Amino acid sequence: SVRKALQTGTDIQAIIDTIYNGQGKPLNGPILSQHVSGLPEPTISTNVEQAKAMLDASGWKLPNDTNTNDPSKIVVRKKNGQELAFSLSTNNFSLNSKAAELLAAQWAKLGVKVTLNIQPTKDLTDNIIRPRNFDALLFAQKLGADPDPFPFWHSSQIRNPGLNLSMYANTQADKIISEARAATDKTVRDAKYRDFQNIIQADAPAIFLVQNVFTYAMKSDVKGLSINNLSTSTARFYDLPNWYIDTKRVLK
């Protein structure tokens, strides 16, 4: 319930506009809409008041007569005497560290105390990620052309060197991931991935933020260029043999 409240109270559009200068798309789960047919385009549905109500309902209460909209003061929710507080670890890559700072500020308005732990990438990998020594982690996942979520979400990948960093374990999700991996029919596979996406959204093991958007400049006189969804930056050169500038009429 706390994870879902944090998700509901996260202003993803502010992250896209402020941190990514508008060069990003929202995410609703680990499967990208361009990878799977029939998957709805992600939408942003931030609702701070609803997030506060969700935290209230789960027993995390604010002290009486407090105002969490006062930016000069962080009022922390408590439950059974325990503060709703945790650390958020990330690396010192500017996009990640700035996003972490913005998240901490947004969650403070909900009554959540977030301590930032920003480290060099190597230190973060060795001391935080590999031993899973964190409360919450903000980190990027690099997906290939195949949407297979096995490396990031199957329970067998919880421990290092696996990449299931949220340590998410769901037997139904494991079954669907394995079945999708074995399917050769894309229609069947896409249906499995849609089911998996629904499970992840229901369990909320992670808050999905932004899908990077890269803009490539090309001279207007270059023809034959076809760039749609690229799994890697170098993939834009795959159709290079089809590019051309000059044309001429050939009489036969």
Side-chain angles (χ1 to χ4, degrees), residues 34-35 143 216 226-237:
Q34 62 261 38
H35 280 163
L143 306 180
Y216 295 104
S226 178
I227 293 182
N228 295 309
N229 297 317
L230 306 177
S231 57
T232 64
S233 60
T234 56
R236 68 189 189 276
F237 296 116

Side-chain angles (χ1 to χ4, degrees), residues 91-92 119-130 139:
N91 61 356
N92 56 2
Q119 300 192 13
T121 300
K122 186 179 186 305
D123 293 341
L124 184 77
T125 301
D126 293 343
N127 303 324
I128 302 297
I129 294 179
R130 284 177 177 165
F139 209 64

Side-chain angles (χ1 to χ4, degrees), residues 35-97:
H35 280 163
V36 174
S37 62
L39 199 65
E41 286 292 328
T43 57
I44 296 176
S45 56
T46 304
N47 191 323
V48 173
E49 294 307 315
Q50 182 182 353
K52 292 178 181 179
M54 294 168 70
L55 291 172
D56 285 336
S58 62
W60 294 98
K61 304 288 187 178
L62 288 168
N64 295 329
D65 301 323
T66 58
N67 179 14
T68 56
N69 292 319
D70 183 356
S72 64
K73 186 178 181 181
I74 298 178
V75 182
V76 184
R77 293 176 180 270
K78 291 184 179 181
K79 182 177 181 179
N80 299 326
Q82 180 182 353
E83 287 189 333
L84 183 49
F86 58 86
S87 66
L88 176 60
S89 300
T90 190
N91 61 356
N92 56 2
F93 179 55
S94 61
L95 290 179
N96 289 345
S97 60

Side-chain angles (χ1 to χ4, degrees), residues 39-233:
L39 199 65
E41 286 292 328
T43 57
I44 296 176
S45 56
T46 304
N47 191 323
V48 173
E49 294 307 315
Q50 182 182 353
K52 292 178 181 179
M54 294 168 70
L55 291 172
D56 285 336
S58 62
W60 294 98
K61 304 288 187 178
L62 288 168
N64 295 329
D65 301 323
T66 58
N67 179 14
T68 56
N69 292 319
D70 183 356
S72 64
K73 186 178 181 181
I74 298 178
V75 182
V76 184
R77 293 176 180 270
K78 291 184 179 181
K79 182 177 181 179
N80 299 326
Q82 180 182 353
E83 287 189 333
L84 183 49
F86 58 86
S87 66
L88 176 60
S89 300
T90 190
N91 61 356
N92 56 2
F93 179 55
S94 61
L95 290 179
N96 289 345
S97 60
K98 290 178 181 178
E101 292 172 358
L102 187 53
L103 285 170
Q106 291 181 2
W107 293 341
K109 294 179 180 179
L110 303 178
V112 182
K113 181 181 178 181
V114 179
T115 303
L116 296 181
N117 180 21
I118 300 174
Q119 300 192 13
T121 300
K122 186 179 186 305
D123 293 341
L124 184 77
T125 301
D126 293 343
N127 303 324
I128 302 297
I129 294 179
R130 284 177 177 165
R132 306 296 195 258
N133 183 27
F134 54 84
D135 294 332
L137 174 72
L138 188 151
F139 209 64
Q141 290 183 337
K142 185 175 181 180
L143 306 180
D146 189 332
D148 179 18
F150 182 92
F152 302 111
W153 296 104
H154 196 277
S155 62
S156 65
Q157 304 302 301
I158 285 177
R159 301 298 177 185
N160 185 64
L163 297 176
N164 184 347
L165 302 184
S166 65
M167 303 180 72
Y168 177 66
N170 182 306
T171 54
Q172 186 181 5
D174 283 353
K175 181 174 182 290
I176 291 175
I177 290 172
S178 299
E179 289 174 349
R181 267 194 148 193
T184 57
D185 186 329
K186 188 178 186 303
T187 302
V188 174
R189 203 176 193 212
D190 285 357
K192 296 289 184 183
Y193 286 150
R194 290 193 297 269
D195 291 341
F196 170 72
Q197 187 92 321
N198 291 335
I199 293 173
I200 290 290
Q201 289 173 346
D203 287 347
I207 298 174
F208 300 90
L209 298 176
V210 182
Q211 177 187 353
N212 288 34
V213 174
F214 296 94
T215 302
Y216 295 104
M218 181 66 71
K219 293 181 65 176
S220 59
D221 58 347
V222 176
K223 309 294 190 300
L225 180 66
S226 178
I227 293 182
N228 295 309
N229 297 317
L230 306 177
S231 57
T232 64
S233 60

